Amino acid sequence: MSSETRMLIDGELLAGRQEFDVLNPATEEVAGTSADADASDMDRAVAAARQAQDSTDWATDPELRKRSMVQLQSALEAEQEEFRAELVAEVGCPVLTTYGPQLDAPLREALGWPTEMIEQFSWSRRLPDNDAFGLGFQTHREVWKEPVGVVGVIMPWNFPFEVILNKLGPILAMGNSCVIKPAPDTPLNANRVGRLIAEQTEIPPGVVNIVPSSDHLVGEVLTTSPLVDMVAFTGSTATGRRIMEAASATLKQVFLELGGKSVNLILDDADFAATVPTAAGMCMHAGQGCAMTTRLLVPFSRYDEAVELVKTGFESVSYGDPIDPANLQGPLISAKQRDRVLDYIQKGIAEGARLVTGGSIPSGFDKGYFVEPTVFADVDNSMTIAREEIFGPVIAVIGYEDDDHAVQIANDSEYGLSGSIASADLDRAMAVARRIRTGTLAINGGSWYGADAPFGGYKASGVGRQCGVEGLEIFTETKTVGWPTGP
Ligand code: NAD
């Protein structure tokens, strides 16, 4: 399989003055190389997006948008298996995950649903006629939705295909142009998307630019340039804060999808044998997901039973070579991330949490950035491992007295991105769900995910929503107009 090295600027696939290697995190071998954009490439991409936004009919021609999004969908589907192999190689995600959230799930609907919504979206609405200032004549009034303009997209490495598609779909459907900066660890899938856009769609040059770089700061241009109207970022809360601050100088709109420390809340009437071991599902992709439920809340009345069950669950997680379809967990993305996870584990031990299982680099793994599925018990919600996003296969088991106490612990977090609740009584689970300050919740194993489902966070987990009608509206501006009713 040959990867695409070139970036996409103003409709052209360009080699770039330099290249950088992309490592396979399971083998530490080179998975491919990418053009390494510098600040001048980024400037050209931003100028091209501005030009396309202001002087092509992309923003005003819904038929062109629909047609070219359908073309892009077909082109992506034709290379689905190449994407699968490439994602496993550069992201280190288990191939199992590509049949769901890494590839097949977003490919199924992330472009398709926004394409359908081009027709169904409420582009304008009528307000009642009025004479607000008492001028003696009535005025018709309307609210119009228009594209926000040039969107700078800054990408993470953990679910890069999912994120690029769930950004591109709404951005394009709403008539915007964009400059996408992939994460330095995982540019190859984005470069491939760029080639397909250039070669197989009618998307006008400059509407989509894909600018990979090994230098984080090349992406910073997107947060400061006066030519960019909005920044859409997925990644860490720390970087999100920095982006928001940088964007304030030009008062850009910011859309941030950030970190989480979500709870998996097991109410005392739940079927423990059926639900508690499934907490190990958070080891999927080595825990590198912002919506992972990394705090397991169990009642003190059944605490020991729960710890035994979660231990069993974590010890049965199959991990290793991401190509092996039996594995749920692969490597961390990089040596840096692996070391960060191991540091958190040491902090957990130092602060007095009880290491129940895991905690180390597994034996026999000489290559690749692997960490064992790890369970901590006797965790107090004030400990570092209960407060900070570890982004690894590490769960903290926290006890609670009653439902009120559980809700209080769930909400005692800087974050509020996701979570899950289990109970034999759906009404009770729903009542608790209403009290948790979080953007998404899975109740009794249900799934909230979908291109039509808004996703995002309360508090430090973000600003705005991706997907759903809210995720279309976020890429629009609002204009209100009035004109006299009479002749
Ligand atoms: P990061 O947030 O620093 O990087 C994400 C993206 O932001 C990358 O494309 C990067 O190049 C870019 N970036 C970094 N600094 C920037 C700046 N000043 N201006 C503009 N763009 C900038 O994430 P990371 O360093 O790759 O990972 C660190 C931690 O982030 C992880 O351990 C994890 O906790 C978290 N993370 C969260 C998510 C999520 O979806 N919530 C995704 C990835 C990483």
Side-chain angles (χ1 to χ4, degrees), residues 335-345 388-391:
K336 183 178 140 213
Q337 281 302 116
R338 177 199 56 202
D339 295 348
R340 191 171 173 271
V341 172
L342 292 173
D343 282 351
Y344 273 116
I345 291 171
E388 296 185 12
E389 186 177 49
I390 298 174
F391 237 57

Side-chain angles (χ1 to χ4, degrees), residues 119-167:
E119 260 176 34
Q120 293 170 35
F121 185 72
S122 216
W123 290 101
S124 66
R125 71 175 190 276
R126 199 69 184 257
L127 302 175
D129 296 349
N130 76 356
D131 177 12
F133 299 146
L135 299 176
F137 62 90
Q138 292 286 306
T139 297
H140 290 311
R141 296 174 306 148
E142 246 176 39
V143 180
W144 298 344
K145 293 289 180 185
E146 300 182 343
V148 75
V150 175
V151 184
V153 179
I154 301 176
M155 298 268 303
W157 40 259
N158 56 337
F159 284 83
F161 185 82
E162 199 267 357
V163 175
I164 200 171
L165 242 54
N166 277 314
K167 297 272 195 274

Side-chain angles (χ1 to χ4, degrees), residues 49-259:
R50 184 78 264 163
Q51 169 84 7
Q53 187 67 34
D54 296 344
S55 59
T56 69
D57 49 7
W58 179 250
T60 52
D61 186 346
E63 290 308 319
L64 170 64
R65 300 207 298 276
K66 266 190 268 175
R67 198 165 63 242
S68 41
M69 288 176 74
V70 169
Q71 291 161 351
L72 179 56
Q73 177 70 25
S74 307
L76 293 169
E77 283 173 7
E79 296 198 9
Q80 184 166 3
E81 295 316 310
E82 287 84 350
F83 274 112
R84 193 182 312 285
E86 193 163 69
L87 286 165
V88 173
E90 70 170 333
V91 183
C93 57
V95 69
L96 187 68
T97 66
T98 68
Y99 300 114
Q102 280 287 4
L103 175 63
D104 292 357
L107 185 56
R108 215 166 21 243
E109 52 180 30
L111 281 186
W113 187 79
T115 307
E116 278 172 31
M117 290 302 291
I118 293 174
E119 260 176 34
Q120 293 170 35
F121 185 72
S122 216
W123 290 101
S124 66
R125 71 175 190 276
R126 199 69 184 257
L127 302 175
D129 296 349
N130 76 356
D131 177 12
F133 299 146
L135 299 176
F137 62 90
Q138 292 286 306
T139 297
H140 290 311
R141 296 174 306 148
E142 246 176 39
V143 180
W144 298 344
K145 293 289 180 185
E146 300 182 343
V148 75
V150 175
V151 184
V153 179
I154 301 176
M155 298 268 303
W157 40 259
N158 56 337
F159 284 83
F161 185 82
E162 199 267 357
V163 175
I164 200 171
L165 242 54
N166 277 314
K167 297 272 195 274
L168 265 180
I171 285 172
L172 297 180
M174 295 294 103
N176 300 281
S177 63
C178 61
V179 179
I180 298 176
K181 211 243 7 121
D185 293 295
T186 56
L188 302 178
N189 65 92
N191 293 350
R192 182 180 292 272
V193 172
R195 174 173 58 73
L196 296 175
I197 287 173
E199 292 181 348
Q200 298 198 35
T201 77
E202 289 171 68
I203 295 175
V207 166
V208 180
N209 303 272
I210 297 185
V211 188
S213 177
S214 62
D215 180 358
H216 291 309
L217 295 186
V218 168
E220 212 161 40
V221 173
L222 296 174
T223 68
T224 54
S225 168
L227 301 181
V228 175
D229 298 296
M230 176 180 185
V231 190
F233 169 73
T234 298
S236 65
T237 292
T239 303
R241 282 200 178 96
R242 194 167 161 177
I243 285 173
M244 200 167 188
E245 208 177 311
S248 72
T250 47
L251 286 172
K252 287 185 204 327
Q253 308 215 21
V254 286
F255 164 29
L256 305 173
E257 200 272 277
L258 308 175

